[in-house]
Amino acid sequence: MSRKPILTLAVPLLTAALLAACGGTTQGDDEDDGGPGTDATANPDAEIQTGLSFAMLPKSVNNPYFEASSTGAEAVATELEGTYEYTGPSDASASSQVSYIDTLSQQATDVILLSANDPNALCSSLDQARDAETVVVTFDSDVDPGCRDLFVSQVDSDEVGLALLEMTAEQIGGAGEVAILSATANATNQNAWIEVIEAELDSNPDYADIELVDVVYGDDEDEKSFSETQGLLQANPDLSAIISPTTVGIAAAARYLSGSEYQGEVALTGLGTPNQMREYIEDGTVTEFALWDPTALGELAAWTGAAAASGIVTGAEGETFTAGELGEYTVGADGVVTLGPPTRFNADNIDEFDF
Ligand code: RAM
């Protein structure tokens, strides 16, 4: 890659000041330093660069889940003496994300951390950004692997889908009609989990008595998720459970259920943040749900971006890097780095968590 990301921790401050005066990065040199976006091999002994510019572009802003990820990423940018920006649309749509990618690439941002609203719609903008030597790390929700350098996955998709179904089966005694309240119709992450649920329902005899009757989309908007919940319950009078694999959806569905005749009658599980779901665990609307640590996910995404911008990894399977205090990670197939298993939250443990 030709943009040489800047300084190592050892470089004197004067040089840092000079480079900062020139915009903080040395761009446009033709030397291939082994970074991502090229056929170059990784240099595991390269030093992690400081002074990088990071930007996080979530599916949408005003979502506490992404705010937690942003806190994690910003802490890494600060530790690496870089700059940090959290920017994105207020609606979770791919078309709204395009202009943010274009702007960040025009600003010659070193590392974009992206949670994508669509696997393909962002690719031409991402290609342009990468041609301009920006490292693109997706996290949370991926694009086609050809359009980014690496993907930081929260949990293996199969594990998420299986955990969602297991919690559902436990909560409805292994039988009944279930419906899914998802985020947006094109979200890569939610669709991967829904596919796992559908395949498992079709093939696993343990779930032979569970029927998926509907999938609806709240678009990661609180009001839409709330009214879709109401619609689901009215359209499916025999519904036993709602599975909502989105922190926005599950919180809105819980709010609807808690004030309705369905509280305690229709189970609700899915992926939520403990802080948004605490009151619904306490009032008995929800028994158990799951999530990973979104702050750690943001941290890992930022370390991954820094390692890629430093030429330590290129996204090839088997490469390793150190993600600060999170420890050592190995790049898996298709340039995927995985954070770890999800945690289940219920009345016994929810007060131990604050995010
Ligand atoms: C919402 C978003 C995000 C998803 C979480 C579980 O905040 O849709 O992409 O990972 O829920």
Side-chain angles (χ1 to χ4, degrees):
M1 114 186 210
S2 59
R3 181 191 305 168
K4 259 187 128 182
I6 12 187
L7 309 165
T8 69
L9 286 166
V11 173
L13 281 176
L14 178 60
T15 319
L18 283 171
L19 280 174
C22 306
T25 56
T26 53
Q27 293 172 36
D29 73 58
D30 288 322
E31 187 190 332
D32 189 338
D33 61 3
T38 71
D39 295 331
T41 49
N43 176 6
D45 299 324
E47 262 186 273
I48 197 106
Q49 303 291 323
T50 58
L52 295 165
S53 52
F54 294 84
M56 177 175 281
L57 172 48
K59 282 180 170 176
S60 60
V61 292
N62 304 323
N63 176 346
Y65 171 87
F66 288 116
E67 282 160 14
S69 296
S70 178
T71 304
E74 184 168 18
V76 174
T78 304
E79 184 174 338
L80 293 176
E81 296 165 16
T83 61
Y84 181 78
E85 187 182 354
Y86 179 63
T87 184
S90 52
D91 64 314
S93 84
S95 54
S96 309
Q97 284 186 306
V98 165
S99 63
Y100 287 88
I101 296 169
D102 293 346
T103 303
L104 290 171
S105 120
Q106 278 152 19
Q107 290 168 348
T109 304
D110 291 309
V111 178
I112 294 179
L113 309 172
L114 165 73
S115 174
N117 285 312
D118 188 288
N120 303 307
L122 305 174
C123 282
S124 76
S125 284
L126 293 175
D127 287 348
Q128 278 177 29
R130 294 174 73 210
D131 284 349
E133 307 300 341
T134 291
V135 167
V136 174
V137 171
T138 47
F139 74 102
D140 178 68
S141 185
D142 201 6
V143 290
D144 181 284
C147 313
R148 46 73 173 162
D149 293 287
L150 293 109
F151 171 50
V152 177
S153 172
Q154 44 277 62
V155 185
D156 176 74
S157 296
D158 287 2
E159 240 186 287
V160 177
L162 295 180
L164 291 172
L165 207 44
E166 229 173 76
M167 289 188 295
T168 308
E170 281 165 17
Q171 293 175 27
I172 63 173
E177 292 185 359
V178 303
I180 295 177
L181 168 66
S182 187
T184 53
N186 292 337
T188 324
N189 53 350
Q190 266 90 11
N191 286 340
W193 304 327
I194 293 170
E195 260 178 46
V196 173
I197 291 175
E198 286 172 337
E200 197 67 9
L201 285 176
D202 281 348
S203 63
N204 187 335
D206 289 350
Y207 301 134
D209 296 329
I210 298 180
E211 192 193 350
L212 178 63
V213 292
D214 217 343
V215 179
V216 296
Y217 300 92
D219 292 348
D220 270 350
E221 281 172 25
D222 177 69
E223 282 309 317
K224 180 147 196 266
S225 305
F226 188 87
S227 59
E228 290 292 341
T229 305
Q230 187 175 23
L232 264 184
L233 291 160
Q234 281 163 3
N236 300 282
D238 294 329
L239 202 63
S240 298
I242 297 174
I243 307 173
S244 187
T246 141
T247 58
V248 180
I250 195 175
R255 196 172 78 251
Y256 181 79
L257 282 179
S258 74
S260 79
E261 60 187 297
Y262 305 100
Q263 188 196 31
E265 300 296 320
V266 175
L268 171 65
T269 189
L271 303 172
T273 68
N275 287 351
Q276 286 176 288
M277 296 302 290
R278 198 176 321 276
E279 64 180 287
Y280 306 113
I281 289 278
E282 278 165 9
D283 76 6
T285 304
V286 173
T287 310
E288 191 171 57
F289 63 98
L291 198 70
W292 43 89
D293 179 346
T295 310
L297 184 66
E299 270 175 56
L300 182 55
W303 280 116
T304 305
S310 307
I312 299 169
V313 296
T314 64
E317 187 170 1
E319 293 169 350
T320 59
F321 66 101
T322 303
E325 288 178 0
L326 293 174
E328 188 165 299
Y329 282 81
T330 303
V331 179
D334 281 335
V336 178
V337 176
T338 305
L339 180 67
T343 303
R344 292 189 189 193
F345 307 100
N346 50 44
D348 293 337
N349 70 357
I350 193 157
D351 286 335
E352 294 162 27
F353 300 92
D354 184 16
F355 61 85

